[in-house]
Coordinates of all heavy atoms in Angstrom, one line a residue:
Chain A
S213 N 106.6 92.1 99.1 CA 108.0 91.9 98.8 C 109.1 92.3 99.8 O 109.0 92.0 101.0 CB 108.3 92.4 97.5 OG 108.1 93.8 97.4
E214 N 110.1 93.0 99.3 CA 111.2 93.2 100.1 C 111.0 94.1 101.4 O 111.6 93.9 102.5 CB 112.4 93.9 99.3 CG 113.8 93.6 99.9 CD 114.1 92.1 99.7 OE1 113.8 91.5 98.8 OE2 114.8 91.6 100.6
R241 N 122.8 100.9 108.5 CA 123.8 100.1 107.7 C 124.0 98.7 108.1 O 124.2 97.8 107.4 CB 125.1 100.9 107.7 CG 125.0 102.2 107.0 CD 126.3 103.2 107.2 NE 126.2 104.3 106.5 CZ 125.6 105.4 106.8 NH1 124.9 105.5 107.9 NH2 125.7 106.5 106.0
G248 N 120.8 91.4 104.6 CA 121.2 91.2 103.1 C 120.3 91.9 102.2 O 120.0 91.4 101.1
V249 N 120.0 93.2 102.6 CA 119.3 94.0 101.7 C 119.8 95.4 101.7 O 120.7 95.6 102.4 CB 117.7 94.2 102.1 CG1 117.1 92.8 102.1 CG2 117.6 94.8 103.4
A250 N 119.5 96.1 100.7 CA 120.1 97.5 100.5 C 119.6 98.3 101.6 O 118.5 98.1 102.2 CB 119.7 98.1 99.2
R251 N 120.4 99.4 102.0 CA 120.0 100.3 103.0 C 118.6 101.0 102.7 O 117.8 101.3 103.6 CB 121.0 101.4 103.2 CG 120.9 102.1 104.5 CD 122.0 103.2 104.7 NE 121.6 104.3 105.4 CZ 121.9 105.6 105.3 NH1 122.8 105.9 104.4 NH2 121.5 106.5 106.1
S252 N 118.4 101.2 101.4 CA 117.1 101.9 101.0 C 115.9 101.0 101.4 O 114.9 101.5 101.8 CB 117.1 102.2 99.5 OG 117.4 101.0 98.8
S253 N 116.1 99.7 101.3 CA 115.0 98.8 101.7 C 114.8 98.9 103.2 O 113.6 98.9 103.7 CB 115.3 97.4 101.3 OG 115.4 97.3 99.9
K272 N 120.8 111.3 113.2 CA 122.2 111.4 113.6 C 122.4 110.8 114.9 O 123.5 110.9 115.5 CB 122.7 112.8 113.6 CG 122.9 113.4 112.4 CD 122.1 114.7 112.2 CE 122.0 115.0 110.7 NZ 121.2 116.1 110.3
S273 N 121.5 110.0 115.3 CA 121.7 109.4 116.7 C 121.5 107.9 116.6 O 122.3 107.1 117.0 CB 120.8 110.0 117.7 OG 120.9 109.4 119.0
Chain C
dG156 P 107.0 98.6 94.1 OP1 106.2 97.5 94.8 OP2 107.3 99.8 94.7 O5' 108.4 97.8 93.5 C5' 108.3 96.5 93.1 C4' 109.7 95.8 93.3 O4' 110.6 96.4 92.3 C3' 110.2 96.2 94.7 O3' 110.9 94.9 95.1 C2' 111.2 97.2 94.5 C1' 111.7 96.9 93.0 N9 112.1 98.1 92.3 C8 111.5 99.4 92.3 N7 112.1 100.3 91.6 C5 113.2 99.6 91.1 C6 114.2 100.0 90.1 O6 114.3 101.0 89.6 N1 115.1 98.9 89.8 C2 115.0 97.6 90.3 N2 115.9 96.8 89.8 N3 114.1 97.3 91.1 C4 113.2 98.2 91.4
dT157 P 111.6 95.0 96.6 OP1 111.6 93.6 97.0 OP2 111.1 96.1 97.4 O5' 113.1 95.3 96.2 C5' 113.9 94.5 95.3 C4' 115.1 95.0 95.1 O4' 115.1 96.1 94.2 C3' 115.9 95.5 96.3 O3' 117.0 94.4 96.6 C2' 116.6 96.7 95.9 C1' 116.3 96.9 94.4 N1 116.0 98.3 93.9 C2 116.9 98.7 93.0 O2 117.8 98.2 92.5 N3 116.5 100.1 92.7 C4 115.5 100.9 93.1 O4 115.4 102.0 92.6 C5 114.6 100.3 94.1 C7 113.5 101.0 94.6 C6 114.9 99.0 94.5
dC158 P 118.0 94.7 97.8 OP1 118.4 93.3 98.2 OP2 117.3 95.6 98.7 O5' 119.2 95.4 97.0 C5' 119.7 94.8 95.8 C4' 120.7 95.7 95.2 O4' 120.1 96.9 94.7 C3' 121.8 96.2 96.3 O3' 123.0 95.8 95.9 C2' 121.6 97.7 96.2 C1' 120.9 98.0 94.9 N1 120.1 99.2 94.8 C2 120.4 100.2 94.0 O2 121.3 100.1 93.2 N3 119.6 101.4 94.0 C4 118.6 101.4 94.9 N4 117.9 102.5 94.9 C5 118.3 100.4 95.8 C6 119.1 99.2 95.7
dA159 P 124.2 95.8 96.9 OP1 125.0 94.6 96.8 OP2 123.7 96.2 98.3 O5' 125.1 97.0 96.4 C5' 125.4 97.1 95.0 C4' 126.0 98.4 94.6 O4' 125.0 99.4 94.6 C3' 127.0 99.0 95.8 O3' 128.3 99.2 95.2 C2' 126.3 100.1 96.4 C1' 125.4 100.6 95.3 N9 124.2 101.3 95.7 C8 123.2 100.9 96.6 N7 122.3 101.7 96.7 C5 122.6 102.8 96.0 C6 121.9 104.0 95.7 N6 120.7 104.3 96.4 N1 122.4 104.9 94.9 C2 123.6 104.5 94.3 N3 124.3 103.4 94.4 C4 123.7 102.5 95.3
dA161 P 131.8 105.7 96.5 OP1 133.0 105.7 95.4 OP2 132.1 105.1 97.7 O5' 131.5 107.2 96.7 C5' 130.8 107.9 95.7 C4' 129.9 109.0 96.3 O4' 128.7 108.4 96.7 C3' 130.5 109.8 97.4 O3' 130.9 111.1 96.9 C2' 129.4 109.9 98.4 C1' 128.1 109.3 97.8 N9 127.3 108.4 98.6 C8 127.6 107.2 99.2 N7 126.6 106.8 99.9 C5 125.6 107.8 99.9 C6 124.4 107.9 100.5 N6 123.9 107.0 101.4 N1 123.7 109.1 100.3 C2 124.3 110.0 99.4 N3 125.5 110.0 98.8 C4 126.1 108.9 99.1
dC162 P 131.9 111.9 97.8 OP1 132.7 112.8 97.0 OP2 132.5 111.1 98.9 O5' 130.9 112.9 98.5 C5' 130.0 113.7 97.9 C4' 129.0 114.4 98.7 O4' 128.1 113.4 99.3 C3' 129.6 115.0 99.9 O3' 129.3 116.4 100.0 C2' 129.0 114.2 101.1 C1' 127.7 113.6 100.6 N1 127.3 112.4 101.3 C2 126.2 112.2 101.9 O2 125.4 113.2 101.9 N3 125.8 111.1 102.4 C4 126.6 110.1 102.5 N4 126.3 108.9 103.0 C5 127.9 110.2 101.9 C6 128.3 111.3 101.3
dC163 P 130.0 117.3 101.1 OP1 130.1 118.6 100.5 OP2 131.0 116.6 101.8 O5' 128.7 117.4 102.2 C5' 127.4 117.7 101.7 C4' 126.4 117.8 102.8 O4' 126.0 116.4 103.2 C3' 127.0 118.4 104.0 O3' 126.2 119.4 104.4 C2' 127.1 117.3 105.1 C1' 126.0 116.3 104.6 N1 126.4 114.8 104.9 C2 125.5 114.1 105.5 O2 124.4 114.5 106.0 N3 125.8 112.8 105.9 C4 126.9 112.3 105.4 N4 127.1 111.0 105.6 C5 127.9 113.1 104.7 C6 127.6 114.3 104.4
dA164 P 126.7 120.7 105.4 OP1 126.2 121.9 104.8 OP2 128.2 120.5 105.4 O5' 126.1 120.4 106.7 C5' 124.7 120.1 106.9 C4' 124.3 119.5 108.2 O4' 124.8 118.1 108.1 C3' 125.1 120.1 109.3 O3' 124.3 120.0 110.5 C2' 126.4 119.1 109.5 C1' 125.7 117.7 109.2 N9 126.6 116.7 108.8 C8 127.8 116.9 108.2 N7 128.4 115.7 108.0 C5 127.5 114.7 108.6 C6 127.6 113.4 108.7 N6 128.6 112.6 108.2 N1 126.5 112.7 109.3 C2 125.5 113.5 109.8 N3 125.4 114.8 109.7 C4 126.4 115.3 109.1
dG165 P 124.4 121.1 111.5 OP1 123.3 122.1 111.3 OP2 125.9 121.6 111.6 O5' 124.1 120.3 112.9 C5' 122.8 119.6 113.0 C4' 123.0 118.2 113.6 O4' 124.0 117.5 112.9 C3' 123.6 118.3 115.0 O3' 122.7 117.3 115.8 C2' 125.0 117.9 114.9 C1' 124.8 116.8 113.7 N9 126.0 116.5 113.1 C8 126.9 117.4 112.3 N7 127.9 116.8 111.8 C5 127.8 115.4 112.1 C6 128.6 114.3 111.8 O6 129.6 114.3 111.2 N1 128.0 113.2 112.4 C2 126.9 113.1 113.2 N2 126.5 111.9 113.6 N3 126.2 114.1 113.5 C4 126.6 115.3 112.9
dA166 P 122.7 117.7 117.4 OP1 121.3 117.9 117.7 OP2 123.8 118.6 117.8 O5' 123.1 116.2 117.9 C5' 122.5 115.1 117.3 C4' 123.2 113.8 117.7 O4' 124.4 113.8 116.8 C3' 123.8 113.7 119.0 O3' 123.6 112.4 119.6 C2' 125.3 114.0 119.0 C1' 125.6 113.5 117.5 N9 126.7 114.1 116.9 C8 126.8 115.4 116.6 N7 128.0 115.7 116.0 C5 128.6 114.5 115.8 C6 129.8 114.1 115.1 N6 130.6 114.9 114.5 N1 130.1 112.8 115.1 C2 129.2 111.9 115.7 N3 128.1 112.2 116.3 C4 127.9 113.5 116.3
dT167 P 123.7 112.1 121.1 OP1 122.5 111.3 121.5 OP2 124.1 113.3 121.8 O5' 124.9 111.1 121.0 C5' 125.4 110.6 119.9 C4' 126.6 109.9 120.0 O4' 127.6 110.5 119.3 C3' 127.1 109.7 121.4 O3' 127.5 108.3 121.6 C2' 128.3 110.7 121.4 C1' 128.8 110.6 120.0 N1 129.5 111.9 119.5 C2 130.6 111.7 118.7 O2 131.1 110.7 118.4 N3 131.2 113.0 118.3 C4 130.7 114.2 118.5 O4 131.3 115.2 118.1 C5 129.5 114.3 119.4 C7 128.9 115.6 119.6 C6 129.0 113.1 119.8

Side-chain angles (χ1 to χ4, degrees):
Chain A
S213 58
E214 203 67 37
R241 291 170 176 84
V249 299
R251 196 181 152 209
S252 55
S253 297
K272 287 121 195 173
S273 176

